[in-house]
Amino acid sequence: MPDAAPPSPARRPATLTVSTLAVVALVGAAWWSARGTGTAAVPDGDAVVATVGDAAITSDELADAYAQYVFRVGLEGDDPAVRDAILESLISRRLVIESARADGIAETDGYRAARAFAESKALVDRYTAIEMADELAVTEADLREEFRMAHTTYRARHLYARSLSEAERLSARLAAGETFEALARETFSDSTLAASGGSLGEFAHDEMDPAFEAAAYALPIGQISEPVRTATGYSVLRVEARTTSTLLTEDAFITKRVQLQRYVTRRNRTEARFALGRRVLAEARPQIDARVLGRLVAFATGEGGTLDAEALAAWRATPLVRFTSAAGLPGALTVGDVEAQAETMTERQRAAVQDEASLREYVEGLVVRQEIAARARAAGLERDPGVVRSVAMQLDDWTFAEAKRQLRESSPVPADTLRAAFARDHDLYLTPPRVHVREILVASLADAREIRAALDGGADFATLARTRSLRPGAASAGGVLGPVSRDELGRLADAVFAARPGTLVGPVEVEGRFAVLERGPDVPVRPMTFDEARPALVAALDVPYAQQTLARALSDLRRRIPVRIDRAAVARVLLFPDAAGAVPVASAAPARPARS
């Protein structure tokens, strides 16, 4: 993490103008969904609005990109200038993709891995759509029920768990008579939720995870729910109050119809995917080798030591899970298979896999994904036009991102540019506030509370750190983390910086584990040297410099690759959905997950 905030925007180089929206879009937030068909056939009835070399950009692509832009910025009506700028951004994106393909990117290992992942995802999505068609369908009754939900407020409390097994244990303890108040103190590291018995206060539509909200809407007042699967884990909840507005009019329903359709479709898709996954998992009956899983966790947390090349190869070939595959055939995934799949995980997904329970759930998810893909292939879905198109779109996404990364790495911000910026803005680059910190990291909240009690009773911090802390290097350092900044402390920063020097903080959750910390003295702030400021300088200048580099590359590509625009076809593109939502509509922004 950078040691200092980047310079004030007022002191940065001027940004590009609106007339260069296409270039900004290539490296900025406007590229959220722009996609191309590449070499895939243009679907029947989908007009071609432009060609880049031999690749086509279709009316559906333009309509979809425009719809998502409108959704994000709140634009009303058709703005011809925005329409043209978005088309130019699609053309620019396609130029980058076609150039990368001409340079042989499709022959790289990275592309082959991306293709395998894209095919698996497309097959899973298509099989789910066919197998769960009834669950995915959106009826008039669904929309009207969603309209009522949109005008409902709730008061509820919940307990959060990372895994289903953990959530089931919490549910069983509640059923046995334990209270939310007692369990919240045990399960939440968030002091507010721990003290309030998991109370979420009052919340309204689209403020929580859709599955959480659907459960809160259907659950009888005062009843404890079964574990509810959300985007971040599992919740066990109890609704304490629920109020639905009585002033619901037909005009209001019609006005919100498209938005409701989008929301219900997204929620149905998530619920159908979970339902199919549970069914396939039960049929596959995976058997995970607990010993191998435990060793994998140890390696992941830095406690498994190191292996030489021969031992590493043998370890990766070790079966981790065996299961019953399609048509009753035996299936298996090795440690190496799981490691290869993990390379495609997002940072959010990586953060969620932090202990044996969450890793077990991740492995089960891989079994489900592999089994659904196998069933889809057995049904011949590899040749399905929708699957073919989805794979092409995903590979476009990957190719574009990889080409941008390579261009960025090949043209770093010049050192003299960094030094000039540092000389001009040197007064902005100060070392961040830091404090000396010692830490003892343990596996459970109970262990952390035991450590805290021992320290409160006068135990020596360094001795406990050497014998109990799971932090690599703690044995030799006695728990000393050194002087650390707010950025380096992350979610612990507020509690540590607010404490007085010499006092204890915690227990506090840290990525699935629990820490007790000792807050030491402050470290004085001082001017940074150039080397210290360099990461922040690069962060401040990287995007504008990348924009300039990309603009030059695009100018060259535009001269080398022929671009043809059918202005009449562009003018005929219908950019806004009718009341029935017949035209492609952008996906809704993700709801906030239930707080944990």
Side-chain angles (χ1 to χ4, degrees):
M1 287 170 282
D3 284 342
S8 167
R11 304 289 294 275
R12 294 182 186 176
T15 56
L16 300 182
T17 64
V18 175
S19 63
T20 56
L21 175 62
V23 178
V24 175
L26 277 166
V27 291
W31 280 103
W32 8 265
S33 71
R35 290 170 169 169
T37 57
T39 56
V42 177
D44 293 339
D46 193 359
V48 174
V49 296
T51 57
V52 178
D54 295 327
I57 296 172
T58 68
S59 57
D60 274 358
E61 290 177 72
L62 179 57
D64 186 59
Y66 196 99
Q68 296 204 38
Y69 179 80
V70 166
F71 181 79
R72 285 180 175 262
V73 305
L75 181 71
E76 294 185 3
D78 177 10
D79 185 328
V82 173
R83 180 193 291 238
D84 289 345
I86 288 177
L87 177 59
E88 283 297 320
S89 71
L90 290 172
I91 290 170
S92 296
R93 181 179 188 276
R94 177 53 55 190
L95 284 167
V96 173
I97 292 170
E98 294 306 306
S99 175
R101 285 181 174 158
D103 289 341
I105 197 170
E107 305 306 316
T108 64
D109 290 342
Y111 187 92
R112 283 187 280 269
R115 173 179 283 281
F117 180 81
E119 288 174 348
S120 176
K121 183 179 186 304
L123 287 168
V124 169
D125 289 346
R126 185 63 179 140
Y127 186 88
T128 302
I130 294 171
E131 191 73 9
M132 309 296 286
D134 291 343
E135 288 81 354
L136 291 169
V138 178
T139 66
E140 181 72 11
D142 290 334
L143 294 179
R144 293 190 177 275
E145 189 72 358
E146 187 65 32
F147 183 57
R148 287 178 54 81
M149 287 180 65
H151 294 83
T152 298
T153 57
Y154 312 83
R155 278 195 299 106
R157 61 182 70 239
H158 85 128
L159 300 173
Y160 170 79
R162 294 187 183 277
S163 66
L164 177 59
S165 57
E166 182 183 346
E168 288 173 338
R169 286 194 293 271
L170 290 173
S171 183
R173 292 173 66 181
L174 287 169
E178 295 190 63
T179 66
F180 273 85
E181 288 75 11
L183 292 179
R185 288 192 293 271
E186 179 180 321
T187 58
F188 285 115
S189 58
D190 183 301
S191 58
T192 301
L193 286 168
S196 67
S199 175
L200 297 168
E202 186 171 279
F203 60 92
H205 182 67
D206 214 14
E207 291 185 1
M208 296 292 174
D209 181 278
F212 186 97
E213 186 179 329
Y217 181 77
L219 193 66
I221 303 295
Q223 182 174 312
I224 297 170
S225 75
E226 295 295 322
V228 176
R229 181 70 162 94
T230 70
T232 57
Y234 293 85
S235 283
V236 178
L237 65 136
R238 184 178 72 202
V239 178
E240 299 180 333
R242 181 172 51 234
T243 305
T244 301
S245 172
T246 57
L247 303 175
L248 305 180
T249 67
E250 187 68 14
D251 286 345
F253 172 73
I254 293 172
T255 300
K256 291 185 173 292
R257 186 185 183 93
V258 170
Q259 181 180 350
L260 294 168
Q261 173 97 25
R262 181 187 306 127
Y263 189 90
V264 174
T265 298
R266 177 166 58 93
R267 189 184 67 212
N268 285 2
R269 187 181 300 118
T270 299
E271 292 175 352
R273 191 178 295 120
F274 283 146
L276 179 62
R278 288 192 295 270
R279 193 176 81 198
V280 170
L281 187 67
E283 294 168 354
R285 302 191 301 277
Q287 301 294 317
I288 297 176
D289 188 317
R291 181 187 60 81
V292 177
L293 184 73
R295 192 180 182 200
L296 187 59
V297 172
F299 279 118
T301 55
E303 301 168 20
T306 57
L307 299 175
D308 60 30
E310 184 177 349
L312 182 60
W315 165 241
R316 287 176 172 163
T318 304
L320 173 60
V321 56
R322 301 182 188 276
F323 56 94
T324 303
S325 187
L329 298 174
L333 290 175
T334 66
V335 170
D337 294 330
V338 173
E339 289 180 345
Q341 291 292 327
E343 292 179 4
T344 65
M345 295 170 69
T346 65
E347 288 303 316
R348 178 178 177 180
Q349 289 169 329
R350 290 179 193 277
V353 181
Q354 299 169 345
D355 51 27
E356 188 165 320
S358 56
L359 180 58
R360 177 180 292 275
E361 188 166 295
Y362 174 69
V363 172
E364 290 175 345
L366 292 182
V367 170
V368 168
R369 183 187 186 91
Q370 180 163 309
E371 177 60 14
I372 293 177
R375 295 182 184 190
R377 290 189 180 94
L381 292 182
E382 285 176 299
R383 299 181 298 277
D384 182 277
V387 170
V388 173
R389 181 174 171 81
S390 174
V391 171
M393 291 166 65
Q394 291 181 71
L395 287 175
D396 277 357
D397 288 343
W398 183 89
T399 300
F400 179 65
E402 179 64 13
K404 281 200 306 177
R405 184 191 66 78
Q406 291 180 9
L407 181 63
R408 210 166 194 166
E409 289 184 354
S410 67
S411 302
V413 183
D416 57 351
T417 301
L418 295 174
R419 287 191 178 278
F422 181 68
R424 183 185 66 240
D425 297 333
H426 63 88
D427 56 311
L428 298 178
Y429 292 94
L430 304 174
T431 57
R434 293 174 181 268
V435 296
H436 287 277
V437 174
R438 292 198 293 180
E439 175 212 57
I440 301 174
L441 186 67
V442 292
S444 70
L445 184 58
D447 287 344
R449 286 174 172 159
E450 178 189 336
I451 294 289
R452 176 62 190 261
L455 292 171
D456 287 339
D460 180 65
F461 196 103
T463 300
L464 282 176
R466 291 189 183 99
T467 57
R468 300 289 299 275
S469 184
L470 300 177
R471 178 76 66 188
S476 58
V480 173
L481 298 182
V484 291
S485 66
R486 282 185 170 275
D487 282 345
E488 290 165 332
L489 283 169
R491 61 180 297 184
L492 303 178
D494 287 344
V496 171
F497 273 79
R500 296 189 309 276
T503 59
L504 297 174
V505 175
V508 185
E509 184 181 358
V510 182
E511 298 181 349
R513 299 177 180 184
F514 295 84
V516 177
L517 306 105
E518 182 186 67
R519 203 266 206 210
D522 294 305
V523 178
V525 172
R526 60 170 176 77
M528 284 184 173
T529 65
F530 172 74
D531 287 340
E532 289 173 330
R534 189 182 186 108
L537 286 162
V538 171
L541 298 176
D542 187 47
V543 169
Y545 190 78
Q547 289 173 345
Q548 295 165 15
T549 302
L550 196 50
R552 291 191 296 270
L554 283 171
S555 178
D556 178 62
L557 291 174
R558 198 71 180 248
R559 287 192 297 269
R560 293 193 288 111
I561 301 176
V563 174
R564 292 178 293 275
I565 300 174
D566 186 337
R567 293 293 176 186
V570 172
R572 289 193 299 269
V573 177
L574 181 61
L575 296 177
F576 292 97
D578 58 22
V583 176
V585 180
S587 300
R592 292 184 303 186
R595 288 163 281 177
S596 60

